[in-house]
Amino acid sequence: MPAVGASGAISGVLGAYLLLFPHTRLSLCFFYFFIPFCFNLPAYAFLLFWFAEQVLYGYLQLGGVAYFAHIGGFVMGLFLIPHLYKPRRRYPVYLDYVLKYLYEYLGIQVVRPRGLGRTAKTILVILLLLVATGFMYAAYSSTNAPFNTYIVNVKTTLVEGAVEDTILLYFMPGSPTPIDFTLSYIDSVRITLNRLQPLLYNSTYEGKGGEVEYQYYLYTVRIRGVDVEVVLRDFYAKYNEKGVMVYSRGVLDTYVVVDNKLGSKTTISFNYNAYDVNLDLMVPLCLLAASLSVFAISSILKSDETSVFSSLELPGAYPYI
């Protein structure tokens, strides 16, 4: 689904940067077993890899809405920058001969802007077409969806501090497993969701909704083939008329599962909020996102008019103008 947040806005800046300064040299450093490795690469190589990673992880549902927020922001940056930045004027055809004469006979090298190469443009167009296709499929499936979608925000508090994450939850009435949700990469959030899974749906409250409260509640869940004991304390939950938990808070005591074995014990305070997604808005929003992805292709094809010179890989023996 299309979404834009703070990281989405920054992704928009990255999309604009890709077209404006594709050949800027970036210095990247990372640690491998405490050994730092640093290298340089052009901005277009790094940003193409990053955008491809967002598209891949988003379609594989390896996270919440964050990846699609990044995709949406990046596409908007690509689409808007030609309209916000005045393109440079095209050079006349004879200018190439003038520049060649200056370089070969006078030793003067005039630097001109360089845009994205053909390979980079091809990769970017393919990625944008994949994004557009995904949004078109989302528009189609939302009109025939056999499930309800919820945006779930989970905030957890441990000794180390508080963290939160947002995931998507799917409710499929009549299914043997009516609840499914996307994966969170925050450990405490993932543990909380896995332990609460048996309580996320309660058929008792279908058609009427309701509330439940426990001072102490003991039950067992099966995680990776291991039976894990869960103790809920000071637990309060609210269910909607579909029997889906839309709010809960409390403290859970449980064990971490490591390598299919019970690990250390942990205590997590949590706050859970679920918001029903209005699928009536999904179709126009997805169609709009697909259209912007297609229109962004025109920005890619005209990127040579937008790019600004950003390379200093020139011989040092000549003066420059």
Side-chain angles (χ1 to χ4, degrees):
M1 62 178 294
V4 174
S7 58
I10 296 173
S11 300
V13 175
L14 295 179
Y17 192 92
L18 171 62
L19 296 189
L20 288 174
F21 308 101
H23 294 279
T24 299
R25 305 297 294 182
L26 302 179
S27 297
L28 300 182
C29 294
F30 65 94
F31 286 89
Y32 184 75
F33 290 108
F34 304 103
I35 302 175
F37 289 88
C38 298
F39 57 94
N40 297 326
L41 78 167
Y44 76 86
F46 171 78
L47 292 175
L48 280 178
F49 176 81
W50 177 84
F51 184 51
E53 181 183 53
Q54 304 305 302
V55 174
L56 178 64
Y57 285 5
Y59 281 145
L60 293 179
Q61 296 186 356
L62 298 179
V65 300
Y67 292 119
F68 284 101
H70 301 164
I71 293 171
F74 194 84
V75 170
M76 284 300 297
L78 295 174
F79 171 70
L80 289 177
I81 192 59
H83 305 285
L84 299 178
Y85 173 76
K86 185 178 180 181
R88 62 181 177 84
R89 302 175 64 180
R90 289 183 177 274
Y91 292 114
V93 177
Y94 63 81
L95 184 59
D96 287 333
Y97 299 100
V98 175
L99 296 178
K100 183 178 179 181
Y101 173 83
L102 291 175
Y103 176 71
E104 293 184 353
Y105 295 96
L106 301 181
I108 299 174
Q109 182 169 351
V110 180
V111 177
R112 294 184 299 170
R114 292 190 300 158
L116 288 171
R118 183 177 300 177
T119 302
K121 289 180 180 179
T122 302
I123 295 174
L124 202 50
V125 168
I126 292 174
L127 291 174
L128 289 173
L129 289 175
L130 287 174
V131 172
T133 303
F135 283 128
M136 292 293 291
Y137 176 76
Y140 168 77
S141 61
S142 62
T143 59
N144 303 280
F147 55 83
N148 300 109
T149 304
Y150 294 81
I151 296 177
V152 179
N153 177 266
V154 181
K155 183 177 181 180
T156 59
T157 304
L158 297 90
V159 177
E160 296 82 2
V163 293
E164 62 180 303
D165 195 12
T166 301
I167 58 100
L168 294 177
L169 182 142
Y170 306 105
F171 170 57
M172 296 160 284
S175 172
T177 55
I179 293 293
D180 192 15
F181 47 81
T182 56
L183 179 66
S184 173
Y185 277 90
I186 299 179
D187 290 341
S188 59
V189 173
R190 185 175 65 254
I191 292 172
T192 300
L193 288 169
N194 287 336
R195 303 312 184 266
L196 290 178
Q197 187 165 11
L199 306 178
L200 296 179
Y201 168 72
N202 192 327
S203 59
T204 305
Y205 298 108
E206 282 191 5
K208 57 182 179 179
E211 302 176 359
V212 64
E213 188 171 1
Y214 301 116
Q215 293 299 318
Y216 180 91
Y217 184 61
L218 171 65
Y219 62 99
T220 301
V221 295
R222 194 164 185 82
I223 307 294
R224 297 179 182 176
V226 179
D227 292 328
V228 181
E229 183 180 278
V230 182
V231 174
L232 285 177
R233 294 182 284 114
D234 301 323
F235 177 73
Y236 169 80
K238 183 183 295 185
Y239 293 84
N240 64 10
E241 66 282 357
K242 297 175 182 176
V244 177
M245 181 192 294
V246 293
Y247 174 77
S248 67
R249 67 174 184 269
V251 180
L252 63 84
D253 299 317
T254 187
Y255 292 89
V256 178
V257 176
V258 181
D259 296 329
N260 299 328
K261 297 180 181 179
L262 286 179
S264 60
K265 189 174 184 179
T266 184
T267 299
I268 304 174
S269 300
F270 64 90
N271 193 292
Y272 173 103
N273 287 278
Y275 307 94
D276 193 1
V277 177
N278 186 354
L279 293 181
D280 293 336
L281 296 176
M282 282 290 291
V283 174
L285 287 176
C286 288
L287 292 177
L288 175 61
S291 300
L292 291 174
S293 301
V294 173
F295 292 149
I297 295 177
S298 64
S299 300
I300 304 304
L301 300 179
K302 297 187 298 183
S303 61
D304 292 342
E305 301 177 8
T306 308
S307 60
V308 178
F309 170 71
S310 57
S311 176
L312 295 177
E313 295 180 355
L314 302 171
Y318 303 107
Y320 303 104
I321 59 172

